[in-house]
Amino acid sequence: MVTTIAAPIIVVLVIARGDIAAWRDVAYRDHALRQAERYVSDIDNIVGGGRQLATVIAQSIGIQAVNAQDRLPGCTSFLQAMLTASPGYDSMTIFADNGDTICTTLAQQSDVVRLRYGGLMQQSLQTNAFALGGYTPASAGRGAVLPIALPFPLRDSTRRGVVMLTLNLDWLHHQIAYRDIASGASVGIADADGTTLVRLPVTAGTSYVGKPVSPAILPYVRASRRGTVNLPGYDARPQLIAYIPTSEVVGNSPNPSRFFVTYAMPGTGAEGWADVRTIQLAAAFGLSLLLGLIGGILLFVRPVSSLLAAARSWSAGDLSARAKMPALTAFHVLAVAFNRMAERLSADRRSLRELNLTLENRVHERTHDIDQSRDRLEQQMVERGKIEAELRRAQKLQVVGQLAGGIAHHFNNLLTAVIGSLDLLRRRAALGTANDDSHHINSLIDGALLAADRGRRLTAQLLIFSRAQRMLPRPVDLNATITQLNDLLVGTLGRGIRIDLSLAATDSPGMGPVMVDPGQLEVALVNLAINARDAMDTDGDPRGVLTISTAAVRLPGDMALGPATAPGNYVAVRIADTGSGIAPDLLPQVFEPFFSTKSPDRGSGLGLSQVQSLAVQSGGDVRIESIPGEGTIVLLLLPRAGLALDCDPPVSLPLAAKPSQKLRVLLVDDDQLVGDVIGELLTERGHEVVAATNAVKAIEVLTRDAQAGGPGFDLLLTDYVMPGMTGLALIATARHMRPAQPALLMTGHASFEPGDTIDPDEVIRKPFTMVELLTRIEQRSAA
């Protein structure tokens, strides 16, 4: 039976010795490639574990709470704990994308710099993906490492960070060395640059780690596919070298391995298989095969069944199962190898379970700490908001109380004067003595009018100060306004005050019209001049010099500006006096409402408040400097008009003895007393007056007049606020019926309703004197 089996085998081997040699060569090379592939899988598993660890770190609460401006104190301790729980890693570092170190386990700054500028961090940021570095040599106190990097987004920011881990090459060598290597064979693992990371087996006295692969094998590092080549090995002996390049995708991995792996076997392949020895060995092989076949039938079933049972348990997740084989058998060696593999996998599973449990506990503790800190911060913010709200409320109440007290004080004084004067007039009229003492009667009338005029000016100043009165700004020639007011100021301030004007030329660079309400500007200038006069009045005889000057000013962006002042071009009015000055402790209060250093009969304390309100509402600013005993300087900044327009300040027309023409006036006011007084005045001046008590009746008058073919009205004089329809709506309706209808709007309100607009020249504010009303009527009728 043996001869029958062996003879055909020997004949086949002799006839097909060439084919056998070729088959043996192919098998030899395939074996080498399979061995290389195992080591590629081993190192890819290790790097994959590093990637998972970097992902866990990047996604943990402790690291996600870090941003580029707030380096969380617990970050370094968190990394240190992770490093302790992760054997095989030399360091862990978190970098920001600008290179700043957020936290690290490294103590030496040189080690941190080496990682920062190694190029791996920028590579991972540019690709926004996991990146693997190359061989990094040892430093003082630290061995050679293999760095890996993973980018991640920083919290509440468009910035990113990078988790950088360094894998210890000595530990990597220990993990790779568990496989048995055939006698005479060697394994080499290099990075993408061809630098050796692992060399097995280790040769005493010789270290290949950190050295480049041999020049002969270097071209295959970046080959397009795996292969084998007959080349001298590390020791220059002829070897068959199987290689897997860095671009090769191994197994089920979606990415290239990024490692160059070689497996070298002695010899060059199938040499010697074509000689007699090969035939003899083949014959022996055939005989052994026969005997093995007989013995295998007897011994194979039980061992294979045991291995299959163990394998089924392992695939089901039970790594405690073991394959049991009789000693001194080939199956015993195989069983031992499989049992070792199961033990190693079981140990790795326990380590991973413990690591996950540790990470979960740390994440839970850190999350709890962060939640408590957030709750405390939110509570503090709520309490702070309550305190700020109470403070604002207290400040508002303080201002309201101050205003209410000042207004009550001044208006009580004014009303006392008006009521007293009118009461005396009524008593004298009742006694019939009004014509006996006309001079005294006139003084009582003048006193009542003066008190009423002071009330009117006080109301106007209050409205400006509160920013409730609507400003009507327009381009105003500042120099012309000051020149016109000069005569008024000379008479108002007295002969003892010399007024010096130093006005910049209108055509000089930077000068031009300013955007301001002309009426309020005149009031502000007069207030400042009167304040200067009072400061130079020490003994009832004011004497000194008042200097009024103008100049172009440009405010730069880096200058401290007022709340409504923006950088740009302004025109400044400087008013300086030689008076007694203001004490430094009183200077911060001068713009407060009703604050005054004068006696109660000489000022309301609203003059400077009105000046400040005018400046702020116009988009400018006001500043004051004072030296006690030397004088005070007030600087009023007004914004330049956008265009260099030709403009002149408003000019008051003198009131003639009789009007130039008789006017037909439609008077509309819902206040009967006001309508009667104005109607009587206009009638006295010779005008024809048709009165209506509201807008609806006025429209009826206009409609009847138009239907009757009447001449129309030369002027529509109407109040603003009336029941049913405002004066502005009435004017619009009248102009719809007659487009060129002249009109003058009377209003005592601070501002108009939203959407209401009107030409400032068509508005006269209450209260007004009869002379002011007649002047404006003649101006509007002449327009």
Side-chain angles (χ1 to χ4, degrees), residues 17 20 32 61 113 153 184 247 382 435 480 563 581 598 764:
R17 58 181 298 188
I20 292 174
I61 297 300
V113 172
S247 61
V382 170
N435 294 326
K598 308 174 188 178
I764 182 171

Side-chain angles (χ1 to χ4, degrees), residues 374-684:
R374 184 183 63 248
D375 293 341
R376 288 194 298 269
L377 181 59
E378 291 177 351
Q379 182 64 27
Q380 292 174 359
M381 292 176 64
V382 170
E383 293 177 357
R384 179 177 178 179
K386 293 180 179 178
I387 294 174
E388 291 178 349
E390 290 296 331
L391 179 59
R392 288 192 296 269
R393 180 173 178 274
Q395 291 174 340
K396 290 180 180 179
L397 291 175
Q398 181 181 3
V399 172
V400 169
Q402 185 180 14
L403 287 173
I407 293 171
H409 170 74
H410 285 283
F411 270 95
N412 285 337
N413 289 341
L414 299 176
L415 291 174
T416 298
V418 172
I419 293 172
S421 298
L422 294 177
D423 187 53
L424 288 175
L425 286 174
R426 183 175 61 181
R427 291 176 180 274
R428 291 180 180 273
L431 295 175
T433 60
N435 294 326
D436 298 340
D437 193 0
S438 59
H439 175 73
H440 190 65
I441 296 298
N442 289 335
S443 66
L444 292 175
I445 294 174
D446 290 342
L449 290 175
L450 179 60
D453 184 64
R454 286 176 60 191
R456 179 186 67 166
R457 286 188 284 110
L458 179 61
T459 302
Q461 290 174 344
L462 281 171
L463 292 176
I464 294 174
F465 166 74
S466 64
R467 304 184 183 180
Q469 180 164 329
R470 182 176 180 180
M471 301 291 290
L472 301 174
R474 65 182 181 185
V476 174
D477 187 334
L478 187 59
N479 286 349
T481 300
I482 295 174
T483 302
Q484 179 190 356
L485 286 176
N486 187 48
D487 293 339
L488 173 64
L489 295 178
V490 169
T492 301
L493 303 183
R495 296 183 179 181
I497 304 297
R498 189 178 84 240
I499 301 177
D500 290 345
L501 300 182
S502 178
L503 308 179
T506 304
D507 57 353
S508 62
M511 288 295 292
V514 294
M515 286 299 296
V516 69
D517 186 317
Q520 302 301 339
L521 174 62
E522 293 179 357
V523 172
L525 294 176
V526 171
N527 281 337
L528 292 175
I530 292 175
N531 283 347
R533 179 203 64 186
D534 294 342
M536 293 183 284
D537 183 4
T538 58
D539 53 2
D541 184 17
R543 293 186 178 276
V545 179
L546 176 66
T547 304
I548 304 177
S549 58
T550 60
V553 176
R554 177 169 180 79
L555 300 181
D558 56 352
M559 183 178 181
L561 306 177
T565 310
N569 295 318
Y570 292 81
V571 177
V573 183
R574 183 178 181 272
I575 300 179
D577 63 62
T578 58
S580 58
I582 303 173
D585 59 324
L586 299 179
L587 202 59
Q589 307 176 53
V590 295
F591 293 112
E592 294 181 3
F594 301 111
F595 176 80
S596 177
T597 59
K598 308 174 188 178
S599 59
D601 60 337
R602 300 192 62 182
S604 64
L606 288 174
L608 288 178
S609 298
Q610 182 267 340
V611 175
Q612 185 185 48
S613 296
L614 169 70
V616 172
Q617 293 185 70
S618 300
D621 197 6
V622 61
R623 304 180 182 187
I624 186 169
E625 298 178 0
S626 184
I627 300 177
E630 297 184 12
T632 302
I633 298 175
V634 178
L635 188 66
L636 178 62
L637 297 174
L638 299 172
R640 283 189 54 189
L643 299 175
L645 305 175
D646 294 332
C647 54
D648 295 302
V651 179
S652 299
L653 298 176
L655 184 64
K658 290 293 182 180
S660 57
Q661 60 179 336
K662 180 179 179 181
L663 301 179
R664 191 164 184 253
V665 180
L666 176 57
L667 173 63
V668 187
D669 200 311
D670 60 327
D671 191 313
Q672 186 68 36
L673 292 177
V674 175
D676 291 346
V677 171
I678 296 176
E680 183 176 350
L681 172 67
L682 295 179
T683 301
E684 183 182 289

Side-chain angles (χ1 to χ4, degrees), residues 235-305:
D235 53 4
R237 295 179 182 179
Q239 291 181 327
L240 173 67
I241 301 178
Y243 63 87
I244 298 180
T246 58
S247 61
E248 184 79 5
V249 177
V250 179
N252 296 324
S253 174
N255 301 309
S257 67
R258 299 182 291 269
F259 293 95
F260 178 67
V261 178
T262 62
Y263 188 89
M265 298 177 65
T268 58
E271 66 274 17
W273 266 78
D275 57 14
V276 177
R277 181 61 177 168
T278 302
I279 298 175
Q280 293 174 348
L281 292 176
F285 173 78
L287 180 59
S288 299
L289 179 63
L290 177 60
L291 297 175
L293 180 62
I294 297 172
I297 294 175
L298 300 175
L299 301 176
F300 183 74
V301 175
R302 182 179 177 182
V304 169
S305 298

